[in-house]
Amino acid sequence: MTDKELTDPHGGAKDVADHIGPDATLLIVDDDGPFLRRLARAMETRGFMVETAESVAEGVAKSKATPPKYAVVDLRLGDGNGLDVIEAIRQRRDDTHIVVLTGYGNIATAVTAVKLGALDYLAKPADADDVYAALTQRPGEKAEVPENPMSADRVRWEHIQRVYEMCERNVSETARRLNMHRRTLQRILAKRAPK
């Protein structure tokens, strides 16, 4: 990547302003410090005015103080769920473009995030270009279809996660509905999603 592409990856200040708009405030909430700092720097070079938070409490506080026009929120944070940050943003501002990031991607959580007002949902590790494209996506634009479909193991895992969310994260009730032993379900929930 050249110095010009690094400082102005989209060909000019006018082009960037057209994509972002006059309000370029961006809040990034993630408890992975190195990833958070890298993404913040990358978004600043793309024209955003970036605020960062490393916890739900800090994200909610910053959302209430100055609700951003754009937000990138990790779902699993050390002190809770990133959905609480999305709710705090939506209480103050309904035009915020929100992108949800997670290393534990599942369809049920994506649906919940979209219902709360998230614009897009990206699995970690997402690169800065993916995040920028998701944040500046226009209404009606469609995301590209993934090249590789989900494996059978991944489909099973997604189904378990959906039922778990429907049961309001109650392990016993989820195990009963899935006709599965509770300990087996706990082991599955503790693991990362299969590829």
Side-chain angles (χ1 to χ4, degrees):
M1 189 175 268
T2 66
D3 287 339
K4 183 180 182 332
E5 288 173 319
L6 207 73
T7 55
D8 194 2
H10 301 287
K14 184 182 182 326
D15 187 38
V16 170
D18 287 346
H19 274 81
I20 297 174
D23 184 352
T25 56
L26 168 65
L27 174 64
I28 304 174
V29 183
D30 198 307
D31 59 356
D32 179 350
F35 174 79
L36 176 66
R37 289 185 288 280
R38 277 194 315 273
L39 184 59
R41 280 193 306 270
M43 292 296 108
E44 284 172 348
T45 64
R46 286 164 172 77
F48 288 99
M49 294 184 304
V50 179
E51 281 274 338
T52 61
E54 292 193 41
S55 66
V56 171
E58 190 180 358
V60 167
K62 288 188 176 184
S63 298
K64 288 180 178 178
T66 52
K69 172 68 175 172
Y70 298 92
V72 177
V73 180
D74 188 5
L75 279 185
R76 296 240 175 143
L77 297 161
D79 65 336
N81 193 322
L83 295 174
D84 295 337
V85 178
I86 295 172
E87 284 185 274
I89 292 169
R90 284 291 176 234
Q91 288 172 359
R92 300 279 191 274
R93 188 169 185 170
D94 61 359
D95 67 336
T96 300
H97 293 238
I98 302 171
V99 173
V100 173
L101 290 179
T102 187
Y104 304 88
N106 70 66
I107 292 168
T109 313
V111 169
T112 304
V114 169
K115 283 180 181 175
L116 286 172
L119 186 68
D120 207 342
Y121 185 89
L122 299 173
K124 283 171 129 180
D127 69 16
D129 290 333
D130 293 337
V131 173
Y132 180 84
L135 284 172
T136 58
Q137 176 179 315
R138 299 283 178 245
E141 285 182 355
K142 295 187 177 177
E144 292 181 26
V145 177
E147 289 179 24
N148 302 324
M150 286 191 279
S151 68
D153 288 338
R154 178 62 186 237
V155 172
R156 176 179 178 260
W157 189 87
E158 294 285 355
H159 175 68
I160 290 169
Q161 291 292 324
R162 184 176 59 79
V163 174
Y164 182 54
E165 291 292 330
M166 283 175 26
C167 294
E168 297 179 355
R169 298 177 168 258
N170 181 319
V171 175
S172 297
E173 177 62 17
T174 304
R176 188 188 66 73
R177 287 191 186 185
L178 292 171
N179 197 22
M180 181 183 288
H181 194 279
R182 192 171 166 277
R183 287 190 186 136
T184 303
L185 176 61
Q186 285 177 313
R187 281 194 297 274
I188 291 169
L189 293 173
K191 294 180 182 176
R192 288 185 176 250
K195 299 268 183 208

